[in-house]
Amino acid sequence: MRVLITGGTSGMGQQLAMQLFAEGHDVDVIGGTDQVRGMNLVALSRGRIRYYPADLGNIGDIKRVAAEYCHECSSLDRLVLNAGVYQRQSLLDEKGVDKAFVVNYLHRFMLLLLLRPLLLASENPRVLINGCANFGGVELDSRIFGRRYQGMQGMTEALRANGLLAYWLNARGDYGVDVDAINPGYVNTGMHRQGGHLMRLMIHWFAISPQHAAEKIRQVLTASDLPSQGGYFNGVKVGRYRHSVTGRPEDFARLWEQSLSLAEIREPVWAAPADTQLRLA
Ligand SMILES: NC(=O)c1ccc[n+]([C@@H]2O[C@H](COP(=O)([O-])OP(=O)(O)OC[C@H]3O[C@@H](n4cnc5c(N)ncnc54)[C@H](OP(=O)(O)O)[C@@H]3O)[C@@H](O)[C@H]2O)c1
């Protein structure tokens, strides 16, 4: 099985990459702001894990790496959208879009669209989004969307957007690939170490290890008996999306529209079989 993991250079993503590699799968990793970590992963696997450096907080770089990956691969069995960052202060790009927002939500949206042709070329493809809330309530005002996005509030907003995306891509029925969502629990990774004193204390008391979390993700990712329409997983247990996600298709429609606009991707045409490639603006 060929698996692509975003943010596979540290934390849960790195542990997942190593566990899947040890099981004999072909593992590719996109992302990582620290390229030394990426090269370490390649070295640990004796060159068998392929590493594609990219800044997943940069819309142009996401398109570049997606195009490079599509050029090198003919099909993809599992896509794990995992990269994330906890940013205390807002860091905006030249268009005023928050970098943390791009890493935590928009790179997932973009790769879901841009890598879809590779997934459709697999016999049994699946996507797993790590970092999803099962409740809705995303700020969809176009003047705010993607901006002013730091700290825990910004992180929660991304988790909600990811939940909406995962649920509605399945419910709408036209994406053609099951998209599962997972909340692995509270995990002791570098992300929390960037937080304040209280956050560090909480980790010390309550968090599970990244190995343990990756084990749960691996189980969900490789299970052969999952429900066919995409599910929400609390660890390895099947959970449920709340009504604030399932009952508000208009929120997803706005999220979709705003995301296409920010990423400068035109509406994809799913219907025509020959036209699975996206038309990039
Ligand atoms: N930790 C938790 O308690 C928890 C709970 C639920 C869900 N999650 C989700 O799990 C996911 C993985 O997080 P983690 O806890 O394992 O944290 P982590 O150890 O900090 O890993 C985050 C990964 O994302 C990469 N990344 C961050 N910014 C990037 C950028 N601009 N471009 C490319 N790659 C970038 C990091 O690479 P570099 O280190 O090289 O930048 C790293 O590989 C996140 O999406 C998070 O929201 C975490």
Side-chain angles (χ1 to χ4, degrees):
M1 188 165 82
R2 177 162 295 285
V3 187
L4 173 62
I5 306 169
T6 69
T9 54
S10 64
M12 286 177 255
Q14 184 203 38
Q15 293 297 327
L16 179 66
M18 290 310 293
Q19 288 180 17
L20 290 167
F21 170 70
E23 273 192 342
H25 299 293
D26 296 317
V27 180
D28 301 327
V29 164
I30 282 185
T33 49
D34 183 344
Q35 293 198 14
V36 174
R37 288 196 196 129
M39 296 319 292
N40 278 343
L41 197 63
V42 175
L44 276 173
S45 68
R46 300 204 179 130
R48 302 263 307 280
I49 293 180
R50 294 190 303 190
Y51 166 56
Y52 297 81
D55 180 0
L56 297 174
N58 179 297
I59 290 169
D61 215 29
I62 296 167
K63 288 182 182 173
R64 177 202 57 78
V65 79
E68 185 184 334
Y69 193 75
C70 286
H71 184 70
E72 286 189 14
C73 285
S74 53
S75 77
L76 181 61
D77 303 303
R78 296 288 185 275
L79 171 60
V80 185
L81 296 165
N82 164 78
V85 66
Y86 179 80
Q87 201 167 273
R88 291 175 94 160
Q89 300 297 325
S90 204
L91 187 62
L92 305 181
D93 71 10
E94 64 283 358
K95 290 183 184 160
V97 182
D98 197 293
K99 204 174 164 67
F101 172 82
V102 180
V103 181
N104 291 328
Y105 162 69
L106 199 67
H107 102 269
R108 289 166 169 74
F109 170 84
M110 291 177 67
L111 292 186
L112 274 162
L113 300 195
L114 297 170
L115 301 183
R116 181 174 178 263
L118 294 186
L119 290 162
L120 290 179
S122 158
E123 274 179 19
N124 175 26
R126 267 196 7 238
V127 177
L128 185 61
I129 303 186
N130 182 21
C132 275
N134 64 352
F135 49 93
V138 181
E139 179 51 75
L140 292 165
D141 182 333
S142 61
R143 291 160 305 171
I144 302 170
F145 185 68
R147 297 163 172 86
R148 286 196 256 142
Y149 194 79
Q150 71 269 29
M152 203 37 104
Q153 198 182 347
M155 176 63 82
T156 308
E157 192 91 338
L159 300 183
R160 289 175 174 184
N162 292 338
L164 267 180
L165 187 63
Y167 176 77
W168 281 103
L169 275 184
N170 290 302
R172 213 169 70 157
D174 54 359
Y175 182 65
V177 179
D178 288 345
V179 182
D180 298 308
I182 187 163
N183 173 7
Y186 193 47
V187 189
N188 184 357
T189 63
M191 178 168 288
H192 291 304
R193 288 191 281 275
Q194 293 156 33
H197 183 61
L198 182 61
M199 205 185 244
R200 288 197 292 275
L201 272 181
M202 298 266 293
I203 293 178
H204 185 69
W205 289 329
F206 301 117
I208 61 172
S209 70
Q211 291 94 321
H212 186 183
E215 175 61 27
K216 295 183 192 183
I217 299 172
R218 191 189 57 75
Q219 278 183 43
V220 171
L221 194 70
T222 54
S224 54
D225 54 353
L226 287 181
S228 63
Q229 292 245 310
Y232 182 88
F233 292 85
N234 267 316
V236 292
K237 294 194 184 134
V238 180
R240 289 180 66 139
Y241 289 101
R242 300 214 187 131
H243 185 69
S244 53
V245 175
T246 60
R248 297 189 58 83
E250 65 277 14
D251 279 5
F252 176 67
R254 288 290 307 281
L255 179 71
W256 181 259
E257 183 192 301
Q258 305 272 21
S259 306
L260 285 173
S261 161
L262 270 193
E264 295 183 353
I265 295 177
R266 285 200 214 126
E267 183 74 45
V269 183
W270 305 130
D275 191 2
T276 49
Q277 294 286 348
L278 284 175
R279 290 170 290 149
L280 290 182

